[in-house]
Every structure is written in C-alpha cells, then in structure tokens.
Amino acid sequence: MNVRCLLVDDEPLALQVVTQYLEQVEDFEVAGTCESALEAGTFLTTHPVDLVFLDINMPMLSGLEFLKTLANPPLIVITTAYREYAVDSYELDVLDYLVKPIPFARFMKTLHKVREQLRLRQQATQPTATDGEPTPPPPPLQADHLYLKVDKKMIRVEYSDIVYVESLKDYVRVITTLESLIVHYNLQAFTDLLPPKDFARIHRSYTINLNHIKALDGNSIEIGGKSLPIGRNYQPEVKQRILGGN
C-alpha cells in the first residue's frame, strides 16, 4: 500500500520539486497539492492522507498556525527556506524539517523515517502474538537497572547507560551508551519508570539523563552526539536543574 502524501506550498516550483522526488519512489504517491493552508484544511476533510509536506510561510495562515488547528494530524514534514523555525516546529511533533533547496539524498532519509514511523504505528494497532496486548506490562523496577521487552527478549539496561529517550508516538527509542532500542511505551509512561533525580523531560519528544549532558547551548542540549531542543514549557525547570544556582 502506497503512502498517500499531501503537498502544501504557495510556490509552484517547490510543489513541482517534491512531486518529482516522490515520483522516483514506488511506495509513495501524491494524493493532492494545495497552495495554501486554507485549501489544505478543506482537502483533508474529504481526503485522508498519511503524510503532509508543509511549507511554513504562506499567505493568510502559516504552516505552523495551520498545524495547531489539526486535532489528529497525519505525519508532518516541514519544507521551508527558513532554518529558524525548527525548534518551534518540533514543539508540534513534526517528523522532520527540510530546508530548501532540498537535496534528494536528504529527502530520501526523510522517507525512511516516514516508513519507520508508519510501521511502528501499524504494529501498535495489532495485538502481539504472545499475549494479545499491544502494550507490555511495566518492567520490574530495580535499584540500578530495568528490563525492557524488545521483540521477544527481555534486555537488561542500566539506568546509568541510558543517554536519552526519544518519542516515536506509541513507541520510544532508548539511546544508551551501547545501543539503540525501540520499546512499546509512550514517552511519559517510560519517563515515569526512570529515577527522577537523574532524568528530566526536556521536550514533548525527549527525556534525557542529566549525567550525560555535554553542554547547554541556549535552548538546546548537547548530549550523546546530538543537539536536542528544550521545549518552551520545559525551559525554566530544565535550566534550573542543570545550572542550579549558577
């Protein structure tokens, strides 16, 4: 089954570029193109799609303003000429942020993310073969570790080895010093399993181990070789915990 895509951009050339890119990929199809957010809103009421490529700067209603109006949005990939909206867009749980002109190789990496996210969503709607429940029971809590169910294995993970945890909607990606694990939990439920003195939620999409922070750079944190944004609502508490009285 093809991934149905809606392209929203007030620049015809930008719509043409993304359309041509998608035509090179067998499992994606263009379900529609719109030149304004208002037109896209009307389109979505009668045409369900899996993915929206959304420009930000458009007349009447910006892409981010439009996104805030959607109660249950499909996957969203921002396409824009402006880098400065990246943090604001990730606050709205967009899947990726592409800066124009978009290189084809970078575009293909985004499609890989889309495939992974749709696969995880499909798994979340299906009962497991072993117990019929899509969500496993909470793992037993220990003083310095927990066990995570990955496929059919129960893998021991030391709290101290967890670098950060990334939300994948109904799943989380647990980044440790040794490996990356995908586990069937939402981010808040998983965060509740972690020792609160060592871990902090910094964003709708991220929980970090405070002991692995390399640097605080404005409203982002360098950790595990990545730069993660601090959500606006989390900034006062997170910065207080990191900096203390400094």
Side-chain angles (χ1 to χ4, degrees):
M1 179 178 178
N2 285 353
V3 178
R4 296 160 299 178
C5 305
L6 173 63
L7 283 50
V8 186
D9 202 309
D10 63 336
E11 298 179 9
L13 179 59
L15 291 174
Q16 181 181 348
V17 168
V18 176
T19 298
Q20 290 175 346
Y21 281 180
L22 290 172
E23 288 175 348
Q24 309 303 312
V25 186
E26 291 185 356
D27 55 336
F28 284 76
E29 66 179 60
V30 177
T33 61
C34 298
E35 295 189 2
S36 73
L38 296 177
E39 184 183 349
T42 301
F43 183 92
L44 289 175
T45 61
T46 55
H47 300 80
V49 300
D50 305 300
L51 171 65
V52 176
F53 290 94
L54 181 63
D55 186 27
I56 291 181
N57 284 339
M58 292 184 289
M60 300 294 292
L61 189 68
S62 76
L64 295 185
E65 290 170 339
F66 168 64
L67 185 51
K68 292 176 183 177
T69 69
L70 300 179
N72 188 26
L75 296 178
I76 302 292
V77 172
I78 296 295
T79 57
T80 179
Y82 302 92
R83 297 179 182 274
E84 59 265 29
Y85 296 108
V87 172
D88 289 339
S89 69
Y90 282 120
E91 284 281 334
L92 297 173
D93 278 345
V94 305
L95 182 67
D96 209 348
Y97 191 96
L98 298 176
V99 179
K100 304 172 185 175
I102 305 168
F104 184 67
R106 178 66 179 84
F107 187 83
M108 291 302 295
K109 291 180 68 174
T110 295
L111 298 192
H112 177 73
K113 288 185 179 181
V114 172
R115 292 187 186 98
E116 180 184 22
Q117 188 62 237
L118 291 176
R119 178 181 62 82
L120 293 175
R121 287 187 175 187
Q122 184 178 23
Q123 288 180 354
T125 63
Q126 298 175 349
T128 61
T130 55
D131 55 17
E133 294 295 332
T135 304
L141 300 180
Q142 306 293 338
D144 58 359
H145 66 275
L146 76 169
Y147 280 90
L148 300 179
K149 185 177 182 181
V150 180
D151 295 328
K152 296 182 179 181
K153 295 181 180 179
M154 295 298 292
I155 298 179
R156 173 172 169 146
V157 177
E158 306 291 327
Y159 293 127
S160 59
D161 287 340
I162 298 175
V163 180
Y164 65 89
V165 185
E166 178 185 5
S167 172
L168 299 174
K169 299 296 184 181
D170 299 312
Y171 286 73
V172 292
R173 191 196 317 273
V174 183
I175 305 297
T176 77
T177 56
L178 303 173
E179 58 191 334
S180 173
L181 305 170
I182 293 180
V183 188
H184 195 169
Y185 280 95
N186 66 53
L187 183 58
Q188 186 57 56
F190 192 86
T191 300
D192 291 341
L193 300 175
L194 303 172
K197 68 181 182 65
D198 294 324
F199 289 85
R201 183 87 175 262
I202 66 165
H203 189 274
R204 291 175 61 183
S205 299
Y206 297 104
T207 291
I208 66 167
N209 187 334
L210 299 169
N211 301 310
H212 284 280
I213 294 175
K214 297 298 182 184
L216 175 65
D217 182 10
N219 293 326
S220 63
I221 288 174
E222 294 179 14
I223 187 171
K226 299 285 186 179
S227 179
L228 305 183
I230 306 174
R232 186 178 295 108
N233 295 333
Y234 298 91
Q235 288 173 15
E237 180 180 353
V238 169
K239 290 184 178 181
Q240 174 62 30
R241 291 193 65 183
I242 294 173
L243 300 176
N246 297 329

